[in-house]
Amino acid sequence: MTTGVRRRMGVEERRQQLIGVALELFSNRSPDDVSIDEIAAAAGISRPLVYHYFPGKLRLYEAALRRAADELADRFREPHEGPLGARLLRVMGRFFAFVDDHGPGFSALMRGGPAVGSSRTNAMIDEVRQAAYEQIVSHLGIAAPPARLELVVRSWVSLAESTALIWLDGRRIPRAELELQLVHDFAALAAVSAAYDAEMAGILVRILADEPSDGPFGELVGRLAGLVPGPPAGG
């Protein structure tokens, strides 16, 4: 028979509980709309006790963003096995799953939320972008990326971020289509850069050499070929 006595949490355990509760609330509503009273009620503690662990809502918000940023950066980790197109598609699937599950929290993380302009928040955002960049470059097997490749990868990471933020406003395009389109966007950015630079051309050729015709990159080639008009009849 249970006694109904609640187990006393240690300091760090309680802090982690509050961060988890706040992140869950921020995932469903804008952090600006979530009060300390709501966080306290969801955690089953008093408002003063929340302030005992965090000096204010901003500090709790930043701690929740820290956890979200770490989780989001992990979504870009992928085993270095198989064609690059398939790897990127799996990465985009995990990335958009996070965005879908944590819409308001994701928007707050990327736009600054209540902590807009905060050096801590800006640093977290930069860490997520840098982690994504480093993960993608690692899949290309290039220790010192040339300037044009860095531009391609960073531009693509920024495109994925902005696409996700726009998609959250109504979710008017099927998620799976956007995930595939972003993989195609990576190939397109690389192809345009390759048209201007021999080193990038070599990198692109190496990437495409391992791509199956029925993979994401092969599908893009097929879609583009369908847009090219054939020779005029009788020509």
Side-chain angles (χ1 to χ4, degrees), residues 26 31 61 65 98-99 102-113 125 164-166 168-169:
F26 295 158
Y61 171 77
L65 284 191
F98 179 93
V99 172
H102 303 281
F106 174 80
S107 296
L109 173 62
M110 292 307 175
R111 291 174 172 150
I125 296 170
L165 287 170
I166 294 170
L168 281 172
D169 186 16

Side-chain angles (χ1 to χ4, degrees), residues 131-188:
Y133 167 77
E134 291 175 357
Q135 284 296 316
I136 300 306
V137 168
S138 73
H139 283 277
L140 300 175
I142 299 175
R148 287 184 183 273
L149 178 59
E150 180 176 356
L151 180 61
V152 165
V153 177
R154 291 196 186 280
S155 296
W156 183 71
V157 169
S158 178
L159 178 62
E161 173 189 322
S162 58
T163 298
L165 287 170
I166 294 170
W167 177 75
L168 281 172
D169 186 16
R171 294 174 168 81
R172 291 170 292 174
I173 299 175
R175 194 181 106 187
E177 288 185 17
L178 276 187
E179 292 168 8
L180 180 59
Q181 181 178 314
L182 279 164
V183 176
H184 291 169
D185 287 334
F186 181 89

